[in-house]
Amino acid sequence: MSAENGKNGSPDTPAGPRPEPLRFYGTTWVHHDDGYAARRAGLAAGSLALAAAACFVLRVAYQGLQIADIGSFVSLLMIVMFAICSALAFRHTWSGFTSRPDPDRQASMRGLLAIGFVGSLLAYFFRTFTEAPGEKLHRAEYDRAREEYEKRTTRRSGNPMKKRRRK
């Protein structure tokens, strides 16, 4: 149930398209209000801290492989695998902030993104310096929807009954 403004029974929210909420930001990205800057700073610090913690966990896992003495080939293979998966996850996450990802491709890359989670965290960290991750994409879609709505609602003006008839 929407709140009414008390004047004429109309809702407080404007008519037309509504902005799509972003994860962790809600709809604060539209007007950069309600602690938007603090959220960006907090999420940047949080994603960097998670990436550092993940690197520490990977280092402990690598040391476990060294203690197990499984061989230099497997150790090298693990390093290369995490490096490549992290680079691909970074690129995929970064491009997902500017365009809608293909759902089929997203599903097929789920395992690779799970392995390269450090790259995704770093992409999120770097993106928060310029905007809320995905803000540019959502803003373009929202602005386009608002423009189309304005065109549809302002197309007819005046009373059609007063329209002059052609002779």
Side-chain angles (χ1 to χ4, degrees), residues 26 31 75 113:
H31 301 292
S75 296
L113 293 173

Side-chain angles (χ1 to χ4, degrees), residues 38-110:
R39 286 183 192 188
R40 268 185 52 195
L43 288 169
S47 62
L48 184 61
L50 281 174
C55 287
F56 178 74
V57 170
L58 289 175
R59 182 172 184 244
V60 170
Y62 178 74
Q63 287 175 341
L65 289 176
Q66 284 183 329
I67 292 170
D69 197 30
I70 58 171
S72 61
F73 177 72
V74 175
S75 296
L76 179 68
L77 194 61
M78 187 186 108
I79 292 170
V80 169
M81 176 197 64
F82 273 106
I84 290 173
C85 289
S86 290
L88 290 173
F90 181 94
R91 178 67 184 133
H92 180 76
T93 304
W94 190 266
S95 67
F97 295 142
T98 57
S99 64
R100 294 275 180 185
D102 179 29
D104 294 332
R105 185 170 185 259
Q106 185 84 9
S108 68
M109 290 187 68
R110 188 169 290 133

Side-chain angles (χ1 to χ4, degrees), residues 1-34:
M1 176 97 81
S2 64
E4 294 182 350
N5 65 11
K7 295 178 185 169
N8 57 7
S10 63
D12 286 333
T13 57
R18 297 203 177 18
E20 185 177 344
L22 289 174
R23 182 183 294 160
F24 305 123
Y25 292 93
T27 57
T28 61
W29 60 268
V30 177
H31 301 292
H32 294 200
D33 56 355
D34 293 335

Side-chain angles (χ1 to χ4, degrees), residues 105-124:
R105 185 170 185 259
Q106 185 84 9
S108 68
M109 290 187 68
R110 188 169 290 133
L112 184 128
L113 293 173
I115 294 169
F117 62 98
V118 174
S120 293
L121 289 170
L122 290 175
Y124 198 89

